Amino acid sequence: MLVLKVLSLEPLHGWGICERIKLISEEELQVNQGSLYPALHKLTQEGWIKSYWGLTENNRKARYYRLTRAGKKQLHVEAAHWDRLAAAVARVMATA
Amino acid sequence: MRMISRWVFRLRATLFPGRMEEAMEEEMAFHMEMEARKLMAKGMGPKEAFRKARRDFGEPEYHKEKARESWGIGMIQNFRIDARHTLRALRRNPVFAIVSILTLGLGIGANSAIFSVVNGILFRDLPFPEPDRLVSLCETRPDEAGTCRTASTPNVADWAGRSSSFQGIGVFRWWGHILEGPEGAESVSSLIATPEFFQVMGYQPAIGRIFRFEDQLEGNRNTVVLDHDFWESRFGSDPGLVGTTIILSGEPFEVIGVLQEGQKPPVVEGQRADVWLPLHFDPRDNDRRNWRGFYAVGRLGPGTGLEVARQELAVIHQGLVEEHPAANAEWGLQLTTLHDRVVGGVKNTLFFFLGAIGLVLLITCANIANLILARLSSRESEMGIRTALGAGTPRLMGQLLTEGLVLALLGSALGLLIAWSGTPLFLSLAPAGIPRLGDVGMDGQVLTFTLGLAILATLLFGIAPLAWASRISPMQALRGIRHGKGRRPMGGVNGILVVSEVALALALLVGAGLLTRSFTAFYRWDPGIDREHLLVVSASVATGAYQGTDAIMNVYRALDEQLLALPGVRSVARTSAGPLFGGFEPDQVFPAEEARAGGSGHQARWYDISPSYFETLGLPVLRGRAFTPEDNMNAPRVVVVNETLADRLWPGEDPLGREIWAEMHDGIRVVIGVVADVPPLDPDAAVDPEMFWPQAQYTRPVSYFVIRTEGDPDPLQRQVIDRIHEVDPDIQVGMISNYHTLLDRRLVQPRFNMLLIAIFSAVALVLAGV
């Protein structure tokens, strides 16, 4: 879900995704760098993201990933799911 | 949508694994480089930065493996690796490789060979257009449990005329003719059929035309259509033959056409047809309602089901029983597909062989399973290490299955080779009389079957090793290494495998034993005939020189005298057929009093014989007398019946002096004697009702001569032929044989069955013994 969310802002390469998640979460969330790639492949296979070869700011060839339409839909589904879960957890915590 | 994208992805991964690998390699390297740069920007030394980046990333190979798994092509990848590994392992262990591949090759090859036979005979379509719609119509007797009898033409005409299920119903039957020509006379197999039969079967002329309805009207000139092969062999494919006249049994016939190549009559009697003649009477002729001498073949209308036609015919048949009770009351009607009619006789035998050979395959699999288990015991440590290194149980099982599949595929390749070379051998051993042997051969279905067998075999012999692999514990396995000894795994399973192998082999042996027993029953056949000193010769005097009864009888008698004068010949007799030789000529017979009243009659086999026939063969005349030379055209027509026919026609009464009437041989004959039954060769068969009349009262230019000798009949064969040619060098001698050879020829089929099952058993025993 996080990967989808990050990619919904702009297409990124693998390392960029890691950095972005760290940045946005203010280092709270650490992505296991290596495991990111199997995950990305999995998402590609599901058809939620698509990869293409692009150039970085300093003209280096890199594999970028972007969100597909199916991926956008999936993001909504997962976000809604997360909201419900988070709210439920918050309610439980509030009563305790 | 998701499904599609998933499959596209997988397909790409499968087709271009290299490109996927490269891309992954590159992006991971890129990741680490970026990470290192970031660290360097923070002031870290380049070496250290790269090391830290690498450490943070984790083991790239591990992540790659994970990613590959996510590609969903792990199985294929693994299969490749395992297959390569297996081939290497087989090369390292050639004894195991050779033994197991040979075993599998034998087992699968035998199965493929038998399947190609079964496939060709049972499963392939009959070689006629739209064969699904072709049906066979039989008349049956309730006391014969569904035995398919031939039909009468007026009945067939009524079925066709009153039903709406059929596009047409045609009839045909075999006959024999003598074709006369400048090179001498030869007997040809002829087929008599209605024009509807040609339409139903879809026969087309290669040249000329086929029959029209006019051709079968009495009084019109005789016409004949030739079989393509016969036209080729006898007339050298002469296209000018159409329109000319050939002489068949003394009568001129105009050749109106030649059938297309490969167009043959449906195999219901295993006979060929050289010449095709139109029926020479109106099939609707009610006088012939009782003559059930024709095979009826129909073509169902498009979309008409067999069951619908069956129901409609049942009603029509009921009507015919009421309209013609005398002819039809004791008869039923049976409708089957033509395919069933053609192959029904050998279906059980073939399935029996398929089952037997299936047992051989089971034994093969048990055998291979055993071999694999034995080999696994020495590989336990290998498996243990693999498990310890992280190969999951599914991965190990996959490996074992792959190993099995590689073995099975190699075995199948060998098996196909064996089947390919073995099928012709099978065909050359197979007796005549098995229908459709020409349709047997290798094709896609056989290949598919073989591939299926390979996979089935893999699963079968893979079960035990799989069960074993699922129980591997790395600890034990590794400990096994330290103690340096392999334990034979799954001792219990091993026992079961051996026991089942022996049991299966035993089952085959029992089958072989039973077949052998029924075979020896044939050898014990005791027809009440002294078989030791008997010679059978067929001779044709249809040379054109002898026309009419007197001329033929005179030359016959001259032949009798010449043969009798040979030293060592005790007696000589003539007959149109006899036990184990000659054709089967049935006729419908009635007690004369019933024929006038219109009864349904009995089917009886008939023979024309010379007076000395019973005595020469050694058949006792139980009542009355045998024929004498005085029973000729100037004397009353007489007949001798066998016990069975006497009992059928006049149960419990004295048949002597009674009169019988035979459908195809118009006229009343007086019964003058009863001869003993000859038990049929097949111990399970019933004795045919039979009747005999003197050749002097029914003369044909072809006859068998039965010669009783003092000693060994074989040395006399040359002299017998010489003596016949002394009478007239134009007389054609067909077959000449002692009686043992005749019996031998009839035993070809049961011997073949026995041989086949014996081979299976031998293979099974060898396999079980390995």
Side-chain angles (χ1 to χ4, degrees), chain B residues 225-238:
Chain B
V225 169
L226 300 185
D227 170 67
H228 195 279
D229 291 350
F230 185 67
W231 176 57
E232 214 170 74
S233 64
R234 184 65 164 68
F235 297 103
S237 301
D238 175 14

Side-chain angles (χ1 to χ4, degrees), chain A residues 13-15 18-19 22 33-35 37-38 41-42 44-47 53 56 60-63 65, chain B residues 2 5-6 9-10 23-24 26-28 30-31 33-35 37-38 56-57 63 66-67 70-71:
Chain A
H13 44 72
W15 183 73
C18 272
E19 289 300 302
K22 267 191 249 172
Q33 303 180 20
S35 316
Y37 291 92
H41 286 216
K42 187 103 196 124
T44 315
Q45 206 190 335
E46 297 292 343
W53 291 98
T56 62
R60 199 162 165 335
K61 205 176 113 189
R63 194 188 212 177
Y65 292 90
Chain B
R2 248 168 84 187
S5 89
R6 214 177 283 177
F9 190 92
R10 261 185 215 185
M24 183 164 68
E26 202 172 330
E27 75 175 328
M28 285 185 179
F30 170 78
H31 183 110
E33 193 189 320
M34 292 298 284
E35 187 71 16
R37 268 175 209 234
K38 191 180 85 179
D56 286 348
F57 188 80
H63 296 303
K66 283 278 162 206
S70 81
W71 295 351

